[in-house]
Amino acid sequence: MMPSYFFAHGAPSIVLEDNRYTDLLKTFKNQMPKPKAIVLFSAHWEETVQSVSAADSYETIYDFGGFQDELYKMTYPAKSDSSLAVQIQSLFAKQGVQSVLDEKRGLDHGAWAVLKLLYPDADIPVIALSVNRNLPNEKQYQIGKALAELREQDILIIGSGGTVHNLRKLNWQSKNNESWAEQFDEWLQSKLESWDTQALFQYRELAPFAQEAVPTNEHFIPLLLAMGTGDSNRKATLLHRSYQYGNLSLSCWQFN
């Protein structure tokens, strides 16, 4: 069965960087069989109704400003898969999740920056999925769980976001990790590894420095979505954790 993953996408410039985290992403394809398709929840696509991308081909969305000119010339010309999009809608419907097909939206940087590092040839069909910050955490997990059987079809499911993501607290010159960010991520690690969903669903009340780490939840949601896809075996493995700018977490979780 294909594992599913959570990847932090960090700053848009990550696609140009060379560090331990990008090394992991760049060598990822060598560690596992090539998936038949990729299904990716992006923190940068927010909708109140679950949306499923179904464009014939994707434009590249540059949903950021102030970064290197090179980034605005990058593309990720992946193709979609209409039959898979319809299958995903069917799986959602079985779990009572309303969804719609979106035939126009391209790939935002929460999707393409990660995919460009993982599979730079853009030769694997991609289905992007939206997130909804207004749903309870239990519901986020259930949305991920609804797609679990895709893993049996050699389809790679990814959540792209960030566990500690507070742009107001970034220190662009810092080379040291801030302890509050590490404490939040360490709490998160203990609950993920023990698959303590009840604590995770209440992370805002229980986790240290939760308000600092997750001032808004759209980047945290993809973690719960990816975790939900692993509900049958309930094994979480931390593959990497580091930080940009003092506290912007770069983490990778595998769910089996």
Side-chain angles (χ1 to χ4, degrees), residues 45-82:
W45 186 10
E46 292 191 63
E47 300 287 353
T48 55
V49 176
Q50 180 65 58
S51 296
V52 181
S53 67
D56 290 334
S57 59
Y58 295 114
E59 293 184 1
T60 304
I61 300 174
Y62 306 102
D63 50 339
F64 50 83
F67 288 89
Q68 299 97 318
D69 291 343
E70 184 178 352
L71 288 175
Y72 301 92
K73 300 175 183 178
M74 287 188 173
T75 61
Y76 193 79
K79 301 297 183 181
S80 184
D81 182 330
S82 58

PDB file of all heavy atoms in Angstrom, residues 45-82:
ATOM      1  N   TRP A  45      -5.186  26.683  -1.262  1.00  0.00           N
ATOM      2  CA  TRP A  45      -6.465  26.630  -1.973  1.00  0.00           C
ATOM      3  C   TRP A  45      -7.568  26.452  -0.940  1.00  0.00           C
ATOM      4  O   TRP A  45      -7.807  25.362  -0.448  1.00  0.00           O
ATOM      5  CB  TRP A  45      -6.476  25.488  -2.982  1.00  0.00           C
ATOM      6  CG  TRP A  45      -7.721  25.483  -3.848  1.00  0.00           C
ATOM      7  CD1 TRP A  45      -8.679  26.465  -3.929  1.00  0.00           C
ATOM      8  CD2 TRP A  45      -8.130  24.448  -4.744  1.00  0.00           C
ATOM      9  NE1 TRP A  45      -9.649  26.108  -4.829  1.00  0.00           N
ATOM     10  CE2 TRP A  45      -9.338  24.878  -5.349  1.00  0.00           C
ATOM     11  CE3 TRP A  45      -7.599  23.214  -5.109  1.00  0.00           C
ATOM     12  CZ2 TRP A  45     -10.028  24.101  -6.286  1.00  0.00           C
ATOM     13  CZ3 TRP A  45      -8.275  22.446  -6.043  1.00  0.00           C
ATOM     14  CH2 TRP A  45      -9.472  22.888  -6.623  1.00  0.00           C
ATOM     15  N   GLU A  46      -8.214  27.543  -0.603  1.00  0.00           N
ATOM     16  CA  GLU A  46      -9.267  27.509   0.404  1.00  0.00           C
ATOM     17  C   GLU A  46     -10.639  27.690  -0.243  1.00  0.00           C
ATOM     18  O   GLU A  46     -10.846  28.629  -1.010  1.00  0.00           O
ATOM     19  CB  GLU A  46      -9.052  28.598   1.450  1.00  0.00           C
ATOM     20  CG  GLU A  46      -7.826  28.387   2.326  1.00  0.00           C
ATOM     21  CD  GLU A  46      -7.810  29.344   3.507  1.00  0.00           C
ATOM     22  OE1 GLU A  46      -8.723  29.257   4.346  1.00  0.00           O
ATOM     23  OE2 GLU A  46      -6.897  30.197   3.570  1.00  0.00           O
ATOM     24  N   GLU A  47     -11.553  26.805   0.087  1.00  0.00           N
ATOM     25  CA  GLU A  47     -12.934  26.882  -0.369  1.00  0.00           C
ATOM     26  C   GLU A  47     -13.848  26.423   0.762  1.00  0.00           C
ATOM     27  O   GLU A  47     -13.442  25.643   1.630  1.00  0.00           O
ATOM     28  CB  GLU A  47     -13.163  25.976  -1.594  1.00  0.00           C
ATOM     29  CG  GLU A  47     -12.306  26.294  -2.804  1.00  0.00           C
ATOM     30  CD  GLU A  47     -12.721  27.565  -3.539  1.00  0.00           C
ATOM     31  OE1 GLU A  47     -13.772  28.143  -3.173  1.00  0.00           O
ATOM     32  OE2 GLU A  47     -11.991  27.957  -4.471  1.00  0.00           O
ATOM     33  N   THR A  48     -15.089  26.887   0.752  1.00  0.00           N
ATOM     34  CA  THR A  48     -16.042  26.440   1.764  1.00  0.00           C
ATOM     35  C   THR A  48     -16.698  25.120   1.386  1.00  0.00           C
ATOM     36  O   THR A  48     -17.267  24.441   2.241  1.00  0.00           O
ATOM     37  CB  THR A  48     -17.123  27.506   1.991  1.00  0.00           C
ATOM     38  OG1 THR A  48     -17.744  27.820   0.744  1.00  0.00           O
ATOM     39  CG2 THR A  48     -16.517  28.778   2.580  1.00  0.00           C
ATOM     40  N   VAL A  49     -16.644  24.745   0.116  1.00  0.00           N
ATOM     41  CA  VAL A  49     -17.084  23.436  -0.350  1.00  0.00           C
ATOM     42  C   VAL A  49     -15.861  22.713  -0.906  1.00  0.00           C
ATOM     43  O   VAL A  49     -15.086  23.297  -1.665  1.00  0.00           O
ATOM     44  CB  VAL A  49     -18.177  23.550  -1.431  1.00  0.00           C
ATOM     45  CG1 VAL A  49     -18.551  22.170  -1.959  1.00  0.00           C
ATOM     46  CG2 VAL A  49     -19.411  24.260  -0.886  1.00  0.00           C
ATOM     47  N   GLN A  50     -15.689  21.460  -0.511  1.00  0.00           N
ATOM     48  CA  GLN A  50     -14.533  20.695  -0.970  1.00  0.00           C
ATOM     49  C   GLN A  50     -14.450  20.705  -2.493  1.00  0.00           C
ATOM     50  O   GLN A  50     -15.368  20.276  -3.185  1.00  0.00           O
ATOM     51  CB  GLN A  50     -14.626  19.252  -0.477  1.00  0.00           C
ATOM     52  CG  GLN A  50     -13.470  18.372  -0.904  1.00  0.00           C
ATOM     53  CD  GLN A  50     -12.162  18.816  -0.300  1.00  0.00           C
ATOM     54  OE1 GLN A  50     -12.029  18.889   0.921  1.00  0.00           O
ATOM     55  NE2 GLN A  50     -11.176  19.127  -1.140  1.00  0.00           N
ATOM     56  N   SER A  51     -13.322  21.208  -3.003  1.00  0.00           N
ATOM     57  CA  SER A  51     -13.143  21.329  -4.447  1.00  0.00           C
ATOM     58  C   SER A  51     -12.085  20.351  -4.933  1.00  0.00           C
ATOM     59  O   SER A  51     -11.083  20.100  -4.252  1.00  0.00           O
ATOM     60  CB  SER A  51     -12.758  22.759  -4.822  1.00  0.00           C
ATOM     61  OG  SER A  51     -13.807  23.652  -4.496  1.00  0.00           O
ATOM     62  N   VAL A  52     -12.318  19.821  -6.122  1.00  0.00           N
ATOM     63  CA  VAL A  52     -11.452  18.811  -6.740  1.00  0.00           C
ATOM     64  C   VAL A  52     -11.041  19.333  -8.106  1.00  0.00           C
ATOM     65  O   VAL A  52     -11.889  19.614  -8.952  1.00  0.00           O
ATOM     66  CB  VAL A  52     -12.199  17.468  -6.900  1.00  0.00           C
ATOM     67  CG1 VAL A  52     -11.289  16.411  -7.517  1.00  0.00           C
ATOM     68  CG2 VAL A  52     -12.772  17.000  -5.569  1.00  0.00           C
ATOM     69  N   SER A  53      -9.752  19.496  -8.337  1.00  0.00           N
ATOM     70  CA  SER A  53      -9.309  20.062  -9.609  1.00  0.00           C
ATOM     71  C   SER A  53      -9.571  19.080 -10.750  1.00  0.00           C
ATOM     72  O   SER A  53      -9.380  17.879 -10.617  1.00  0.00           O
ATOM     73  CB  SER A  53      -7.818  20.417  -9.559  1.00  0.00           C
ATOM     74  OG  SER A  53      -7.026  19.254  -9.443  1.00  0.00           O
ATOM     75  N   ALA A  54     -10.022  19.642 -11.870  1.00  0.00           N
ATOM     76  CA  ALA A  54     -10.334  18.815 -13.030  1.00  0.00           C
ATOM     77  C   ALA A  54      -9.990  19.524 -14.326  1.00  0.00           C
ATOM     78  O   ALA A  54     -10.587  19.268 -15.368  1.00  0.00           O
ATOM     79  CB  ALA A  54     -11.811  18.426 -13.017  1.00  0.00           C
ATOM     80  N   ALA A  55      -9.018  20.432 -14.270  1.00  0.00           N
ATOM     81  CA  ALA A  55      -8.580  21.119 -15.478  1.00  0.00           C
ATOM     82  C   ALA A  55      -7.847  20.142 -16.391  1.00  0.00           C
ATOM     83  O   ALA A  55      -7.164  19.225 -15.915  1.00  0.00           O
ATOM     84  CB  ALA A  55      -7.665  22.286 -15.118  1.00  0.00           C
ATOM     85  N   ASP A  56      -7.983  20.337 -17.691  1.00  0.00           N
ATOM     86  CA  ASP A  56      -7.250  19.475 -18.634  1.00  0.00           C
ATOM     87  C   ASP A  56      -5.751  19.644 -18.452  1.00  0.00           C
ATOM     88  O   ASP A  56      -4.985  18.680 -18.517  1.00  0.00           O
ATOM     89  CB  ASP A  56      -7.651  19.813 -20.069  1.00  0.00           C
ATOM     90  CG  ASP A  56      -9.079  19.392 -20.381  1.00  0.00           C
ATOM     91  OD1 ASP A  56      -9.573  18.450 -19.739  1.00  0.00           O
ATOM     92  OD2 ASP A  56      -9.697  20.024 -21.250  1.00  0.00           O
ATOM     93  N   SER A  57      -5.318  20.882 -18.251  1.00  0.00           N
ATOM     94  CA  SER A  57      -3.925  21.189 -17.952  1.00  0.00           C
ATOM     95  C   SER A  57      -3.912  22.355 -16.976  1.00  0.00           C
ATOM     96  O   SER A  57      -4.870  23.122 -16.899  1.00  0.00           O
ATOM     97  CB  SER A  57      -3.139  21.526 -19.223  1.00  0.00           C
ATOM     98  OG  SER A  57      -3.704  22.639 -19.879  1.00  0.00           O
ATOM     99  N   TYR A  58      -2.819  22.495 -16.248  1.00  0.00           N
ATOM    100  CA  TYR A  58      -2.767  23.470 -15.165  1.00  0.00           C
ATOM    101  C   TYR A  58      -1.896  24.673 -15.508  1.00  0.00           C
ATOM    102  O   TYR A  58      -0.757  24.505 -15.952  1.00  0.00           O
ATOM    103  CB  TYR A  58      -2.200  22.830 -13.900  1.00  0.00           C
ATOM    104  CG  TYR A  58      -3.054  21.745 -13.302  1.00  0.00           C
ATOM    105  CD1 TYR A  58      -2.612  20.427 -13.281  1.00  0.00           C
ATOM    106  CD2 TYR A  58      -4.289  22.040 -12.741  1.00  0.00           C
ATOM    107  CE1 TYR A  58      -3.376  19.426 -12.720  1.00  0.00           C
ATOM    108  CE2 TYR A  58      -5.064  21.042 -12.171  1.00  0.00           C
ATOM    109  CZ  TYR A  58      -4.606  19.743 -12.161  1.00  0.00           C
ATOM    110  OH  TYR A  58      -5.378  18.744 -11.596  1.00  0.00           O
ATOM    111  N   GLU A  59      -2.427  25.860 -15.261  1.00  0.00           N
ATOM    112  CA  GLU A  59      -1.585  27.043 -15.240  1.00  0.00           C
ATOM    113  C   GLU A  59      -0.832  27.066 -13.916  1.00  0.00           C
ATOM    114  O   GLU A  59      -1.267  26.469 -12.931  1.00  0.00           O
ATOM    115  CB  GLU A  59      -2.428  28.306 -15.393  1.00  0.00           C
ATOM    116  CG  GLU A  59      -3.095  28.449 -16.746  1.00  0.00           C
ATOM    117  CD  GLU A  59      -3.834  29.776 -16.874  1.00  0.00           C
ATOM    118  OE1 GLU A  59      -3.802  30.567 -15.904  1.00  0.00           O
ATOM    119  OE2 GLU A  59      -4.431  30.008 -17.933  1.00  0.00           O
ATOM    120  N   THR A  60       0.294  27.762 -13.896  1.00  0.00           N
ATOM    121  CA  THR A  60       1.073  27.915 -12.670  1.00  0.00           C
ATOM    122  C   THR A  60       0.675  29.214 -11.990  1.00  0.00           C
ATOM    123  O   THR A  60       0.765  30.289 -12.591  1.00  0.00           O
ATOM    124  CB  THR A  60       2.581  27.915 -12.974  1.00  0.00           C
ATOM    125  OG1 THR A  60       2.919  26.712 -13.689  1.00  0.00           O
ATOM    126  CG2 THR A  60       3.396  27.974 -11.692  1.00  0.00           C
ATOM    127  N   ILE A  61       0.218  29.108 -10.742  1.00  0.00           N
ATOM    128  CA  ILE A  61      -0.234  30.280  -9.983  1.00  0.00           C
ATOM    129  C   ILE A  61       0.922  30.789  -9.135  1.00  0.00           C
ATOM    130  O   ILE A  61       1.529  30.042  -8.368  1.00  0.00           O
ATOM    131  CB  ILE A  61      -1.433  29.925  -9.096  1.00  0.00           C
ATOM    132  CG1 ILE A  61      -2.602  29.415  -9.948  1.00  0.00           C
ATOM    133  CG2 ILE A  61      -1.870  31.134  -8.268  1.00  0.00           C
ATOM    134  CD1 ILE A  61      -3.779  28.904  -9.133  1.00  0.00           C
ATOM    135  N   TYR A  62       1.220  32.080  -9.246  1.00  0.00           N
ATOM    136  CA  TYR A  62       2.289  32.708  -8.462  1.00  0.00           C
ATOM    137  C   TYR A  62       1.621  33.504  -7.343  1.00  0.00           C
ATOM    138  O   TYR A  62       1.505  34.729  -7.406  1.00  0.00           O
ATOM    139  CB  TYR A  62       3.156  33.594  -9.353  1.00  0.00           C
ATOM    140  CG  TYR A  62       3.692  32.851 -10.566  1.00  0.00           C
ATOM    141  CD1 TYR A  62       3.111  33.024 -11.822  1.00  0.00           C
ATOM    142  CD2 TYR A  62       4.744  31.955 -10.446  1.00  0.00           C
ATOM    143  CE1 TYR A  62       3.581  32.331 -12.932  1.00  0.00           C
ATOM    144  CE2 TYR A  62       5.219  31.251 -11.548  1.00  0.00           C
ATOM    145  CZ  TYR A  62       4.637  31.441 -12.788  1.00  0.00           C
ATOM    146  OH  TYR A  62       5.098  30.752 -13.876  1.00  0.00           O
ATOM    147  N   ASP A  63       1.209  32.804  -6.305  1.00  0.00           N
ATOM    148  CA  ASP A  63       0.449  33.421  -5.215  1.00  0.00           C
ATOM    149  C   ASP A  63       1.386  33.894  -4.103  1.00  0.00           C
ATOM    150  O   ASP A  63       1.257  33.507  -2.941  1.00  0.00           O
ATOM    151  CB  ASP A  63      -0.613  32.460  -4.690  1.00  0.00           C
ATOM    152  CG  ASP A  63      -0.056  31.074  -4.372  1.00  0.00           C
ATOM    153  OD1 ASP A  63       1.015  30.712  -4.906  1.00  0.00           O
ATOM    154  OD2 ASP A  63      -0.703  30.351  -3.593  1.00  0.00           O
ATOM    155  N   PHE A  64       2.340  34.749  -4.464  1.00  0.00           N
ATOM    156  CA  PHE A  64       3.316  35.300  -3.528  1.00  0.00           C
ATOM    157  C   PHE A  64       3.944  36.516  -4.169  1.00  0.00           C
ATOM    158  O   PHE A  64       3.807  36.743  -5.380  1.00  0.00           O
ATOM    159  CB  PHE A  64       4.383  34.259  -3.165  1.00  0.00           C
ATOM    160  CG  PHE A  64       5.009  33.572  -4.358  1.00  0.00           C
ATOM    161  CD1 PHE A  64       6.057  34.163  -5.054  1.00  0.00           C
ATOM    162  CD2 PHE A  64       4.550  32.336  -4.797  1.00  0.00           C
ATOM    163  CE1 PHE A  64       6.638  33.542  -6.157  1.00  0.00           C
ATOM    164  CE2 PHE A  64       5.111  31.705  -5.896  1.00  0.00           C
ATOM    165  CZ  PHE A  64       6.157  32.312  -6.575  1.00  0.00           C
ATOM    166  N   GLY A  65       4.650  37.294  -3.376  1.00  0.00           N
ATOM    167  CA  GLY A  65       5.321  38.486  -3.901  1.00  0.00           C
ATOM    168  C   GLY A  65       6.628  38.739  -3.189  1.00  0.00           C
ATOM    169  O   GLY A  65       6.827  38.322  -2.045  1.00  0.00           O
ATOM    170  N   GLY A  66       7.537  39.418  -3.873  1.00  0.00           N
ATOM    171  CA  GLY A  66       8.782  39.838  -3.251  1.00  0.00           C
ATOM    172  C   GLY A  66       9.904  38.812  -3.276  1.00  0.00           C
ATOM    173  O   GLY A  66      10.917  39.014  -2.597  1.00  0.00           O
ATOM    174  N   PHE A  67       9.750  37.749  -4.045  1.00  0.00           N
ATOM    175  CA  PHE A  67      10.788  36.729  -4.101  1.00  0.00           C
ATOM    176  C   PHE A  67      11.586  36.833  -5.410  1.00  0.00           C
ATOM    177  O   PHE A  67      11.346  37.712  -6.227  1.00  0.00           O
ATOM    178  CB  PHE A  67      10.172  35.336  -3.941  1.00  0.00           C
ATOM    179  CG  PHE A  67       9.704  35.055  -2.538  1.00  0.00           C
ATOM    180  CD1 PHE A  67       8.412  35.386  -2.148  1.00  0.00           C
ATOM    181  CD2 PHE A  67      10.555  34.489  -1.602  1.00  0.00           C
ATOM    182  CE1 PHE A  67       7.973  35.136  -0.850  1.00  0.00           C
ATOM    183  CE2 PHE A  67      10.129  34.241  -0.309  1.00  0.00           C
ATOM    184  CZ  PHE A  67       8.837  34.567   0.069  1.00  0.00           C
ATOM    185  N   GLN A  68      12.524  35.913  -5.589  1.00  0.00           N
ATOM    186  CA  GLN A  68      13.432  35.964  -6.736  1.00  0.00           C
ATOM    187  C   GLN A  68      12.662  35.922  -8.059  1.00  0.00           C
ATOM    188  O   GLN A  68      11.674  35.205  -8.198  1.00  0.00           O
ATOM    189  CB  GLN A  68      14.411  34.788  -6.675  1.00  0.00           C
ATOM    190  CG  GLN A  68      15.301  34.772  -5.432  1.00  0.00           C
ATOM    191  CD  GLN A  68      14.757  33.875  -4.338  1.00  0.00           C
ATOM    192  OE1 GLN A  68      13.559  33.873  -4.090  1.00  0.00           O
ATOM    193  NE2 GLN A  68      15.645  33.127  -3.685  1.00  0.00           N
ATOM    194  N   ASP A  69      13.169  36.699  -9.017  1.00  0.00           N
ATOM    195  CA  ASP A  69      12.521  36.745 -10.335  1.00  0.00           C
ATOM    196  C   ASP A  69      12.399  35.361 -10.958  1.00  0.00           C
ATOM    197  O   ASP A  69      11.440  35.072 -11.689  1.00  0.00           O
ATOM    198  CB  ASP A  69      13.312  37.662 -11.276  1.00  0.00           C
ATOM    199  CG  ASP A  69      13.224  39.128 -10.880  1.00  0.00           C
ATOM    200  OD1 ASP A  69      12.321  39.478 -10.093  1.00  0.00           O
ATOM    201  OD2 ASP A  69      14.062  39.912 -11.354  1.00  0.00           O
ATOM    202  N   GLU A  70      13.369  34.509 -10.678  1.00  0.00           N
ATOM    203  CA  GLU A  70      13.386  33.167 -11.262  1.00  0.00           C
ATOM    204  C   GLU A  70      12.128  32.376 -10.926  1.00  0.00           C
ATOM    205  O   GLU A  70      11.649  31.566 -11.738  1.00  0.00           O
ATOM    206  CB  GLU A  70      14.627  32.418 -10.759  1.00  0.00           C
ATOM    207  CG  GLU A  70      14.814  31.050 -11.373  1.00  0.00           C
ATOM    208  CD  GLU A  70      16.073  30.363 -10.874  1.00  0.00           C
ATOM    209  OE1 GLU A  70      16.873  31.012 -10.170  1.00  0.00           O
ATOM    210  OE2 GLU A  70      16.257  29.168 -11.196  1.00  0.00           O
ATOM    211  N   LEU A  71      11.568  32.629  -9.750  1.00  0.00           N
ATOM    212  CA  LEU A  71      10.390  31.880  -9.324  1.00  0.00           C
ATOM    213  C   LEU A  71       9.186  32.162 -10.210  1.00  0.00           C
ATOM    214  O   LEU A  71       8.338  31.289 -10.432  1.00  0.00           O
ATOM    215  CB  LEU A  71      10.044  32.211  -7.874  1.00  0.00           C
ATOM    216  CG  LEU A  71      10.990  31.648  -6.806  1.00  0.00           C
ATOM    217  CD1 LEU A  71      10.597  32.166  -5.428  1.00  0.00           C
ATOM    218  CD2 LEU A  71      10.964  30.126  -6.813  1.00  0.00           C
ATOM    219  N   TYR A  72       9.100  33.389 -10.725  1.00  0.00           N
ATOM    220  CA  TYR A  72       7.934  33.790 -11.515  1.00  0.00           C
ATOM    221  C   TYR A  72       8.024  33.294 -12.970  1.00  0.00           C
ATOM    222  O   TYR A  72       7.106  33.509 -13.752  1.00  0.00           O
ATOM    223  CB  TYR A  72       7.787  35.303 -11.480  1.00  0.00           C
ATOM    224  CG  TYR A  72       7.630  35.821 -10.063  1.00  0.00           C
ATOM    225  CD1 TYR A  72       8.744  36.224  -9.330  1.00  0.00           C
ATOM    226  CD2 TYR A  72       6.388  35.879  -9.455  1.00  0.00           C
ATOM    227  CE1 TYR A  72       8.615  36.679  -8.023  1.00  0.00           C
ATOM    228  CE2 TYR A  72       6.243  36.333  -8.155  1.00  0.00           C
ATOM    229  CZ  TYR A  72       7.371  36.728  -7.446  1.00  0.00           C
ATOM    230  OH  TYR A  72       7.232  37.175  -6.148  1.00  0.00           O
ATOM    231  N   LYS A  73       9.124  32.619 -13.279  1.00  0.00           N
ATOM    232  CA  LYS A  73       9.276  32.021 -14.600  1.00  0.00           C
ATOM    233  C   LYS A  73       9.108  30.511 -14.564  1.00  0.00           C
ATOM    234  O   LYS A  73       9.071  29.858 -15.605  1.00  0.00           O
ATOM    235  CB  LYS A  73      10.662  32.367 -15.162  1.00  0.00           C
ATOM    236  CG  LYS A  73      10.894  33.868 -15.317  1.00  0.00           C
ATOM    237  CD  LYS A  73      12.322  34.160 -15.761  1.00  0.00           C
ATOM    238  CE  LYS A  73      12.578  35.654 -15.838  1.00  0.00           C
ATOM    239  NZ  LYS A  73      13.985  35.954 -16.212  1.00  0.00           N
ATOM    240  N   MET A  74       8.997  29.965 -13.354  1.00  0.00           N
ATOM    241  CA  MET A  74       8.868  28.524 -13.221  1.00  0.00           C
ATOM    242  C   MET A  74       7.464  28.062 -13.589  1.00  0.00           C
ATOM    243  O   MET A  74       6.483  28.765 -13.360  1.00  0.00           O
ATOM    244  CB  MET A  74       9.184  28.093 -11.782  1.00  0.00           C
ATOM    245  CG  MET A  74      10.645  28.165 -11.434  1.00  0.00           C
ATOM    246  SD  MET A  74      10.984  27.435  -9.818  1.00  0.00           S
ATOM    247  CE  MET A  74      12.783  27.496  -9.839  1.00  0.00           C
ATOM    248  N   THR A  75       7.389  26.881 -14.148  1.00  0.00           N
ATOM    249  CA  THR A  75       6.096  26.262 -14.445  1.00  0.00           C
ATOM    250  C   THR A  75       6.130  24.814 -13.981  1.00  0.00           C
ATOM    251  O   THR A  75       7.202  24.235 -13.768  1.00  0.00           O
ATOM    252  CB  THR A  75       5.772  26.302 -15.949  1.00  0.00           C
ATOM    253  OG1 THR A  75       6.778  25.573 -16.670  1.00  0.00           O
ATOM    254  CG2 THR A  75       5.713  27.742 -16.446  1.00  0.00           C
ATOM    255  N   TYR A  76       4.939  24.246 -13.828  1.00  0.00           N
ATOM    256  CA  TYR A  76       4.823  22.825 -13.529  1.00  0.00           C
ATOM    257  C   TYR A  76       3.671  22.292 -14.371  1.00  0.00           C
ATOM    258  O   TYR A  76       2.521  22.250 -13.929  1.00  0.00           O
ATOM    259  CB  TYR A  76       4.590  22.570 -12.040  1.00  0.00           C
ATOM    260  CG  TYR A  76       4.793  21.113 -11.674  1.00  0.00           C
ATOM    261  CD1 TYR A  76       6.076  20.602 -11.509  1.00  0.00           C
ATOM    262  CD2 TYR A  76       3.709  20.258 -11.531  1.00  0.00           C
ATOM    263  CE1 TYR A  76       6.288  19.270 -11.199  1.00  0.00           C
ATOM    264  CE2 TYR A  76       3.909  18.918 -11.223  1.00  0.00           C
ATOM    265  CZ  TYR A  76       5.196  18.427 -11.052  1.00  0.00           C
ATOM    266  OH  TYR A  76       5.404  17.101 -10.752  1.00  0.00           O
ATOM    267  N   PRO A  77       3.958  21.897 -15.610  1.00  0.00           N
ATOM    268  CA  PRO A  77       2.910  21.565 -16.579  1.00  0.00           C
ATOM    269  C   PRO A  77       2.334  20.162 -16.409  1.00  0.00           C
ATOM    270  O   PRO A  77       2.274  19.370 -17.361  1.00  0.00           O
ATOM    271  CB  PRO A  77       3.641  21.714 -17.918  1.00  0.00           C
ATOM    272  CG  PRO A  77       5.056  21.325 -17.599  1.00  0.00           C
ATOM    273  CD  PRO A  77       5.317  21.847 -16.201  1.00  0.00           C
ATOM    274  N   ALA A  78       1.898  19.851 -15.210  1.00  0.00           N
ATOM    275  CA  ALA A  78       1.301  18.545 -14.958  1.00  0.00           C
ATOM    276  C   ALA A  78      -0.069  18.441 -15.625  1.00  0.00           C
ATOM    277  O   ALA A  78      -0.741  19.446 -15.846  1.00  0.00           O
ATOM    278  CB  ALA A  78       1.161  18.311 -13.459  1.00  0.00           C
ATOM    279  N   LYS A  79      -0.480  17.234 -15.905  1.00  0.00           N
ATOM    280  CA  LYS A  79      -1.807  16.961 -16.432  1.00  0.00           C
ATOM    281  C   LYS A  79      -2.715  16.483 -15.298  1.00  0.00           C
ATOM    282  O   LYS A  79      -2.250  15.994 -14.276  1.00  0.00           O
ATOM    283  CB  LYS A  79      -1.750  15.898 -17.531  1.00  0.00           C
ATOM    284  CG  LYS A  79      -0.877  16.266 -18.715  1.00  0.00           C
ATOM    285  CD  LYS A  79      -1.410  17.491 -19.443  1.00  0.00           C
ATOM    286  CE  LYS A  79      -0.555  17.790 -20.678  1.00  0.00           C
ATOM    287  NZ  LYS A  79      -1.032  18.996 -21.392  1.00  0.00           N
ATOM    288  N   SER A  80      -4.011  16.623 -15.523  1.00  0.00           N
ATOM    289  CA  SER A  80      -4.987  16.117 -14.572  1.00  0.00           C
ATOM    290  C   SER A  80      -5.392  14.690 -14.970  1.00  0.00           C
ATOM    291  O   SER A  80      -4.803  14.089 -15.871  1.00  0.00           O
ATOM    292  CB  SER A  80      -6.196  17.047 -14.533  1.00  0.00           C
ATOM    293  OG  SER A  80      -7.114  16.626 -13.555  1.00  0.00           O
ATOM    294  N   ASP A  81      -6.392  14.171 -14.305  1.00  0.00           N
ATOM    295  CA  ASP A  81      -6.941  12.841 -14.625  1.00  0.00           C
ATOM    296  C   ASP A  81      -8.425  12.907 -14.313  1.00  0.00           C
ATOM    297  O   ASP A  81      -8.819  12.801 -13.146  1.00  0.00           O
ATOM    298  CB  ASP A  81      -6.241  11.763 -13.793  1.00  0.00           C
ATOM    299  CG  ASP A  81      -6.722  10.355 -14.120  1.00  0.00           C
ATOM    300  OD1 ASP A  81      -7.886  10.206 -14.514  1.00  0.00           O
ATOM    301  OD2 ASP A  81      -5.934   9.408 -13.953  1.00  0.00           O
ATOM    302  N   SER A  82      -9.238  13.085 -15.338  1.00  0.00           N
ATOM    303  CA  SER A  82     -10.668  13.321 -15.134  1.00  0.00           C
ATOM    304  C   SER A  82     -11.353  12.140 -14.456  1.00  0.00           C
ATOM    305  O   SER A  82     -12.235  12.325 -13.609  1.00  0.00           O
ATOM    306  CB  SER A  82     -11.353  13.636 -16.465  1.00  0.00           C
ATOM    307  OG  SER A  82     -11.161  12.582 -17.394  1.00  0.00           O
TER     308      SER A  82
END
